[in-house]
Amino acid sequence: MTETITPRRSLLGLGAGVLAALPIVASADTRPGGARTMLSAADFGAKGDDSADDTAALQAALDAAFAPSGPAFLLIPPGTYKVSRTLRVAPRADITRHHGIMAHGARLHSTIGDGGDVLAFDCQSTMRFLLIEGLDIQGSGREGAGLSLQCESKQHYLYNFCLRDLAIQGCGGDGARLLGDVFEGQIINSYFRDNHRNGVTFGHGKTAGILSAIHVFGCVFGQNGVYGAEMINGCYDVAYHGCYFLLNRRNGLIAANGCTLLSNCGFENNHEQAANFAGGGPGIWLQGFGTLVGCTAYSMFKQTRLIEAYVVDQLTMIGCAGSGDGDAKGAGLALIGGESKGRATIISPSGTIEYKNGFEALEIAPGSGGGIRFGSNWNSHNLARLGDHHLWIDKSGRLRLKKGAPSSDEDGAPVGS
């Protein structure tokens, strides 16, 4: 099957709206084809007894399963498989049938000591419908990433993939790393803990490739040496659903170029490396834009709030909460600043919201002490409006009214004090 993909991955970096505007152009039949059979790593001599070095046997099994005419799936039976060098999948012909690794009950026990990744997919061709399920990767602390999916290419893609029921712990680098033309994928019910760098790193390729349309469901990012998850190289199109970020040494999530969506995610007691609460920070550090729905933060130690954001485009928060007890009884919800063109809308918040550098958000908070909080300065983006009339408070504390947008603090007419 041959298919053509428009160059939307390179265009995606121009703005969030481009993704919806540029469809995939494909041949009439895009269903995965080919035989769907399975090899067993045991047939290649893999022992799984945590004593024999199973690297060569596993590599041979991977080479056979991921060959262009290979059987499609590799079964790694239950057991603990010692791995002393990187297991690499780098097919040079397209694989567009269902294929992958089934490994429930199997652990890769890394003894790698040279900084190499444990299991690496380096796309030299297009890979579609990849599934990795049930795999447990235990690091030694001296390898790189536990799992790496990379496609730094302008011609090839890794997409329509699924990673599910993974546990990646103790690796010397990231738990998992996804870089380049890696898109339209899901990470489900997986656990990234105690890795020396991040739980997961997502990013556009350094030289080529746009990461996008990644959805992360029900995953845990805990006790990692830097961040729970980090989004780098300008990527932003990752959505997190029902995930939990806790006890990471720094932030739970860093999104330096924005984040498409966080829904029903929790952030607990991050910033473990800080000396105290005053030296801590937010669960999320975000720059650019983002949407948060039903996200919460709780701290007893050094996490100061749910989110700190520098808004360049639009930030929307609905039903989010931030609180703390013990040493973190002063923990709140948000600290928000941004550029003059930035907008923020906060609906039904719980927890303290602070602003910096004169930034203002539209707050809608029903209940005791709530109401609608508009901007008060004449040049705010969030002035109260009655039809075509704008209301604001001038420097003398007087309420002023003008039909149309005000052009100065003393524009319009005072209507009260």
Side-chain angles (χ1 to χ4, degrees):
M1 179 179 67
T2 301
E3 70 178 285
T4 302
I5 301 177
T6 63
R8 67 176 183 164
R9 302 300 147 193
S10 59
L11 293 172
L12 191 61
L14 299 177
V18 175
L19 181 62
L22 294 173
I24 290 180
V25 178
S27 58
D29 187 356
T30 59
R31 294 172 298 177
R36 302 177 189 180
T37 57
M38 186 174 292
L39 288 177
S40 174
D43 293 337
F44 291 80
K47 302 297 185 185
D49 60 5
D50 202 20
S51 178
D53 187 339
D54 283 317
T55 307
L58 290 172
Q59 186 63 64
L62 289 166
D63 291 343
F66 288 88
S69 59
F73 279 95
L74 175 65
L75 171 67
I76 304 179
T80 299
Y81 298 82
K82 185 179 290 186
V83 175
S84 60
R85 65 179 185 275
T86 299
L87 299 172
R88 193 173 306 278
V89 178
R92 295 188 177 274
D94 292 353
I95 303 178
T96 57
R97 65 188 186 277
H98 280 302
H99 63 292
I101 299 171
M102 309 297 290
H104 287 282
R107 166 176 284 184
L108 302 183
H109 179 194
S110 168
T111 61
I112 297 170
D114 62 358
D117 300 332
V118 181
L119 177 59
F121 286 75
D122 294 331
C123 285
Q124 310 295 318
S125 60
T126 291
M127 299 182 70
R128 192 178 187 191
F129 303 117
L130 170 67
L131 171 65
I132 304 176
E133 183 170 322
L135 186 62
D136 181 346
I137 299 176
Q138 177 65 55
S140 67
R142 299 183 299 277
E143 59 284 285
L147 173 64
S148 173
L149 301 181
Q150 297 195 71
C151 189
E152 298 230 4
S153 173
K154 296 180 180 179
Q155 293 84 31
H156 303 300
Y157 313 91
L158 195 164
Y159 70 119
N160 295 152
F161 66 91
C162 182
L163 312 177
R164 64 182 305 148
D165 302 333
L166 307 184
I168 306 180
Q169 307 176 67
C171 294
D174 299 325
R177 183 175 62 240
L178 290 76
L179 296 176
D181 256 329
V182 179
F183 58 94
E184 293 168 10
Q186 301 176 350
I187 306 175
I188 302 171
N189 191 38
S190 294
Y191 187 60
F192 306 93
R193 176 185 176 273
D194 198 30
N195 299 290
H196 289 201
R197 290 196 73 256
N198 305 325
V200 178
T201 296
F202 300 97
H204 296 333
K206 291 182 179 179
T207 59
I210 301 298
L211 179 140
S212 66
I214 305 297
H215 288 265
V216 186
F217 297 91
C219 294
V220 174
F221 305 85
Q223 294 177 277
N224 295 290
V226 187
Y227 307 118
E230 184 179 17
M231 300 166 65
I232 65 171
N233 300 343
C235 85
Y236 57 81
D237 195 14
V238 180
Y240 304 85
H241 312 267
C243 296
Y244 212 71
F245 303 76
L246 75 162
L247 295 169
N248 296 288
R249 286 183 59 78
R250 297 181 68 179
N251 305 81
L253 172 66
I254 290 280
N257 201 47
C259 183
T260 298
L261 176 66
L262 290 112
S263 65
N264 300 102
C265 293
F267 293 79
E268 180 181 339
N269 288 322
N270 293 288
H271 288 276
E272 280 290 281
Q273 75 170 13
N276 49 40
F277 179 75
I284 305 166
W285 188 88
L286 179 144
Q287 180 172 269
F289 77 101
T291 299
L292 284 72
V293 179
C295 293
T296 61
Y298 178 75
S299 178
M300 293 186 66
F301 306 110
K302 303 160 188 177
Q303 181 177 289
T304 57
R305 53 183 59 85
L306 172 62
I307 184 170
E308 180 175 346
Y310 184 86
V311 183
V312 175
D313 191 351
Q314 174 72 45
L315 173 67
T316 302
M317 298 175 61
I318 302 173
C320 296
S323 63
D325 290 310
D327 293 340
K329 59 181 178 294
L333 176 59
L335 174 62
I336 305 174
E339 296 185 358
S340 59
K341 65 180 180 180
R343 305 286 190 274
T345 303
I346 303 173
I347 300 173
S348 296
S350 176
T352 303
I353 302 171
E354 301 175 75
Y355 299 97
K356 56 183 179 180
N357 301 326
F359 192 88
E360 295 179 317
L362 174 64
E363 295 181 28
I364 303 174
S368 177
I372 301 176
R373 178 180 176 181
F374 299 98
S376 59
N377 297 323
W378 69 271
N379 58 354
S380 171
H381 298 303
N382 300 309
L383 290 182
R385 294 181 60 178
L386 300 174
D388 294 332
H389 290 76
H390 291 70
L391 289 163
W392 73 97
I393 306 296
D394 67 20
K395 292 181 180 179
S396 299
R398 295 176 298 180
L399 180 66
R400 302 186 76 93
L401 176 71
K402 183 192 175 183
K403 185 175 182 179
S407 58
S408 72
D409 188 54
E410 297 182 353
D411 203 355
V415 294
S417 58

